[in-house]
Amino acid sequence: MLWKNTQNELIKITSKIRSYIGIGALTVLILLVIFAMQADGKTYIGFVTSTFEQTLTFNGNILNGNLIAFIIMQMLIVHVPLLIVLVTGDLLSGELASGTIRMLATKPISRTGIVLSKWFAATIYTLIMTLWMGFLSLFVAHWIFGTGDLMVLNPDGLLILPSDDLLWRFGISMVLAFLALWTVATLSLAFSAFAKNSVGPIVITMAVIILFTIIGTLDVTVFDDLKFYLFTTHMATWRIVFEDPFPTEDILISALVLLGHVVGLLLLAIYRFNRKDINA
Amino acid sequence: MGLIEVKHLSKNFGSFNAVKDVSFQVNEGDVFGFLGPNGAGKSTTIRCLLSLIRPSGGEIKFFNKSLASHRLEVLAKIGCIIEKPDFYKYLSAQKNLELFARISGKNIEKKQVLEMLDFVGLAGREKDKVSGFSHGMKQRLGIAQTLLHDPEIIILDEPTTGLDPQGIIDVRNLILRLKNERNKTIMLSSHQLSEIEIIANRMVIINQGKTIVEGGVQELLDKQSLNVEITVDRPEVFEALMADKYPLLPVHRLYHSTYYITLETEERNQLTEVMVASGCGVRSIVPKRSLEDFFIKIISS
């Protein structure tokens, strides 16, 4: 029954126009970045390299597909959650708002089963969005700009990663990006279990992301202990994949924190929906 | 056998007691009318029966099994419409039914979905999106969804709300067909008292969250006073007779020779005999008893 309802949820997602807004917007954004970098990328790179030109000489294809992919990921990690939440924040509350939940909840499927099937569908949608982002940013950028070493500007200085050392790093960064987006999707699903309209969970999820991000960037001692537990702190972990030496422990800890959030928020959604009186 | 048994059901929303003490039993093969004024607790009770709402107290049993511990097993044998049927508007009628068929607990094929759409008069519209459907068409689609998995019990909450007269007749005929041809047990909540009087064999009336009366429709109606419109050929003889034999009975003259009187059970059989014996011919006697009168009397008392 769980798989059958997950199929239903996927049919609902693929039949809604809003599901394609995210994919469409993502495609347009990435293509715009690629177009901008193709048109004016050398000037952009010039700003970065000018600081080091007195001590270093840059040879080869600096403006390559790896750098473009890295820039795209950096730019989109803030915006893609909004595109995901547009779909996942509506999964439970949308059924309440439209009244279809009455039909669904009187079928022989448990309330837990309803939440889980929606969560599976949200997971698949998030995975597709992540893979699409990865495909466009990595493969399309490689196709247009070719390959080359990646120049990463860290707080510690400039790091050059050889091109043959990059594919696996991009793979891991995609896994971490997926974990971050999965957390956001599950957060919006949990809010969706509390709400009776579609807009509320979307707005609240984004508000939480903005609030936590601001707390994470505030250089105030009182928040220092708190920062570790905010999922937004770990949403940017994908970036440390491009450090040398590779920070395995930090990455594992962040992955575990994000996974913990996913499990905790899913349990919250299940608990809330099981106790909910459906008056709609 | 009691297919549905509700005992001392209660439901509180905070400090508000929506349902205080509702009990009734629906037997196999019944068309069971579930009546009550607005705010009586009908919808809350039905939502409790379908586990949309968690009861605060009392017991609900289907097929002699507790709903709380056999929820999925019970829901697989129930078809329902709660108020208005809401569907996924961005999907077609057929796709909507296929979604619900997939999670109905039975293996329902596409052919059966199309047959059901044909049964409710939506053949040819199966590919149309529900967003373009009228209320009547959605109601028909709701009935198709209810019957798709061939449930043993059908629960309909206000199934004729918003329908035109032809739609109301169609739903009434459909309910009678389900009872007569498929021997379904049907629980029906409605404000259309005339509908309940025509199609239900048993009923319960609730008010202010409590059961007021339960029993067979005809049995309950037989117990109440009978209003009669009587037309006689000799009005002066009739009036003298009533004053002599039934001095306490209220008699209202409607027209020249037509009167409106209220008879208690024991007076009903005697009246015509007494009239004939006294030489007062009866042209017609029209009983004016109705569920509506009974309902208003019960609620107001």
Side-chain angles (χ1 to χ4, degrees):
Chain A
M1 191 63 83
L2 191 61
W3 168 236
K4 285 180 178 177
N5 201 44
T6 305
Q7 273 181 284
N8 280 356
E9 293 305 329
L10 288 170
I11 289 170
K12 288 179 212 169
I13 287 177
T14 52
S15 305
K16 280 188 212 168
I17 292 171
R18 72 164 62 190
S19 308
Y20 299 98
I21 292 174
I23 292 173
L26 190 65
T27 309
V28 170
L29 279 167
I30 292 173
L31 293 178
L32 275 176
V33 173
I34 290 173
F35 171 75
M37 294 310 285
Q38 199 176 23
D40 209 19
K42 285 191 173 131
T43 315
Y44 177 81
I45 296 297
F47 282 122
V48 181
T49 55
S50 60
T51 326
F52 303 96
E53 271 173 353
Q54 288 179 340
T55 50
L56 294 170
T57 306
F58 295 95
N59 292 317
N61 181 18
I62 298 170
L63 185 64
N64 57 54
N66 290 321
L67 182 66
I68 302 298
F70 186 78
I71 292 168
I72 288 171
M73 282 192 69
Q74 197 149 268
M75 290 173 86
L76 291 186
I77 202 72
V78 183
H79 305 106
V80 176
L82 174 63
L83 303 176
I84 299 267
V85 165
L86 273 177
V87 172
T88 56
D90 180 56
L91 286 176
L92 275 170
S93 55
E95 301 253 12
L96 276 156
S98 66
T100 47
I101 194 72
R102 291 195 302 265
M103 300 272 215
L104 187 56
T106 50
K107 297 291 172 226
I109 177 168
S110 66
R111 296 271 185 107
T112 303
I114 291 173
V115 177
L116 280 177
S117 50
K118 286 184 180 291
W119 180 70
F120 285 141
T123 303
I124 291 168
Y125 182 75
T126 308
L127 188 62
I128 289 169
M129 286 286 277
T130 314
L131 290 173
W132 185 239
M133 184 171 74
F135 170 77
L136 284 177
S137 59
L138 203 58
F139 290 98
V140 176
H142 269 120
W143 177 54
I144 294 172
F145 292 92
T147 188
D149 296 346
L150 175 64
M151 190 175 65
V152 182
L153 192 60
N154 286 327
D156 301 334
L158 191 67
L159 177 69
I160 309 288
L161 293 167
S163 61
D164 58 0
D165 188 34
L166 286 173
L167 196 58
W168 68 274
R169 289 182 191 263
F170 272 113
I172 292 174
S173 70
M174 282 295 165
V175 171
L176 287 169
F178 168 71
L179 276 177
L181 296 175
W182 199 23
T183 308
V184 173
T186 313
L187 176 71
S188 66
L189 184 71
F191 284 136
S192 192
F194 285 84
K196 284 183 179 174
N197 62 70
S198 305
V199 182
I202 297 170
V203 173
I204 294 170
T205 306
M206 290 317 293
V208 167
I209 293 173
I210 292 166
L211 180 72
F212 283 9
T213 306
I214 290 170
I215 293 172
T217 51
L218 281 177
D219 203 8
V220 183
T221 324
V222 74
F223 291 138
D224 281 354
D225 292 339
L226 184 67
K227 284 177 187 174
F228 175 79
Y229 300 100
L230 303 178
F231 69 91
T232 45
T233 307
H234 303 277
M235 280 177 75
T237 302
W238 69 271
R239 207 175 183 283
I240 64 171
V241 171
F242 297 92
E243 285 180 3
D244 200 36
F246 185 73
T248 310
E249 196 178 328
D250 291 347
I251 286 169
L252 279 176
I253 288 170
S254 283
L256 284 173
V257 171
L258 290 173
L259 269 176
H261 272 84
V262 169
V263 173
L265 291 165
L266 178 63
L267 291 175
L268 177 69
I270 290 171
Y271 173 78
R272 174 60 193 149
F273 192 64
N274 269 292
R275 299 191 67 80
K276 198 178 185 88
D277 282 340
I278 297 172
N279 288 313
Chain B
M1 179 185 133
L3 244 55
I4 309 174
E5 287 173 76
V6 177
K7 288 180 185 166
H8 307 295
L9 183 73
S10 65
K11 175 63 188 176
N12 307 326
F13 293 106
S15 59
F16 173 64
N17 303 324
V19 176
K20 292 169 190 163
D21 185 8
V22 167
S23 301
F24 60 85
Q25 179 174 311
V26 182
N27 299 323
E28 191 170 359
D30 274 353
V31 174
F32 189 81
F34 188 53
L35 306 177
N38 284 337
K42 296 193 300 295
S43 286
T44 305
T45 303
I46 287 182
R47 280 160 199 264
C48 287
L49 288 181
L50 294 165
S51 75
L52 291 172
I53 287 177
R54 192 187 292 259
S56 305
E59 190 180 22
I60 299 171
K61 280 186 180 177
F62 282 87
F63 313 102
N64 215 22
K65 289 175 182 172
S66 165
L67 175 65
S69 53
H70 295 81
R71 181 179 171 272
L72 300 186
E73 188 188 332
V74 165
L75 288 179
K77 295 176 183 173
I78 296 177
C80 62
I81 298 180
I82 316 294
E83 293 173 10
K84 59 185 173 62
D86 287 304
F87 290 95
Y88 303 103
K89 291 175 186 168
Y90 48 88
L91 296 176
S92 68
Q94 184 183 338
K95 199 58 124 181
N96 265 287
L97 285 195
E98 283 172 0
L99 287 193
F100 291 118
R102 199 173 284 128
I103 52 170
S104 67
K106 284 191 179 170
N107 189 21
I108 298 165
E109 293 181 6
K110 189 178 171 183
K111 187 185 160 204
Q112 289 168 277
V113 170
L114 294 173
E115 280 172 2
M116 190 51 73
L117 284 166
D118 186 34
F119 179 72
V120 295
L122 287 174
R125 304 297 300 267
E126 61 271 6
K127 299 287 181 198
D128 293 358
K129 284 190 177 174
V130 174
S131 55
F133 276 21
S134 67
H135 178 71
M137 289 165 77
K138 283 183 198 164
Q139 205 74 15
R140 287 178 193 198
L141 188 59
I143 290 169
Q145 175 273 140
T146 303
L147 302 177
L148 194 58
H149 58 295
D150 195 25
E152 290 178 39
I153 297 173
I154 297 166
I155 297 177
L156 304 171
D157 185 15
E158 307 284 355
T160 54
T161 303
L163 292 182
D164 59 19
Q166 186 57 50
I168 292 171
I169 292 167
D170 287 347
V171 170
R172 182 207 300 162
N173 291 338
L174 185 65
I175 291 169
L176 289 171
R177 276 177 66 191
L178 289 171
K179 176 187 159 50
N180 298 331
E181 294 172 18
R182 301 194 183 190
N183 198 32
K184 300 292 178 195
T185 303
I186 300 162
M187 181 174 168
L188 177 67
S189 152
S190 178
H191 281 303
Q192 303 275 343
L193 298 177
S194 54
E195 292 293 318
I196 297 284
E197 193 173 359
I198 293 169
I199 58 180
N201 63 311
R202 294 186 69 250
M203 68 174 180
V204 64
I205 297 178
I206 69 166
N207 192 23
Q208 296 179 345
K210 290 179 182 174
T211 299
I212 305 297
V213 66
E214 183 194 356
V217 175
Q218 291 310 318
E219 191 185 314
L220 290 171
L221 293 181
D222 283 347
K223 282 181 187 168
Q224 67 160 337
S225 305
L226 179 69
N227 296 322
V228 171
E229 207 175 281
I230 186 164
T231 305
V232 296
D233 54 6
R234 295 169 65 193
E236 66 288 351
V237 177
F238 176 72
E239 283 178 22
L241 179 73
M242 294 305 284
D244 179 36
K245 299 281 184 188
Y246 305 103
L248 299 176
L249 212 63
V251 177
H252 305 284
R253 191 170 189 167
L254 296 178
Y255 318 110
H256 172 65
S257 56
T258 303
Y259 299 84
Y260 189 81
I261 56 177
T262 303
L263 299 167
E264 294 305 327
T265 316
E266 64 273 14
E267 293 159 345
R268 290 178 203 171
N269 299 330
Q270 299 168 4
L271 181 68
T272 45
E273 288 171 19
V274 171
M275 285 175 68
V276 171
S278 62
C280 177
V282 179
R283 287 187 193 161
S284 69
I285 295 183
V286 183
K288 290 293 176 184
R289 182 188 66 191
S290 71
L291 181 57
E292 198 171 287
D293 294 331
F294 180 70
F295 180 80
I296 289 166
K297 189 178 167 187
I298 287 284
I299 295 302
S300 56
S301 66

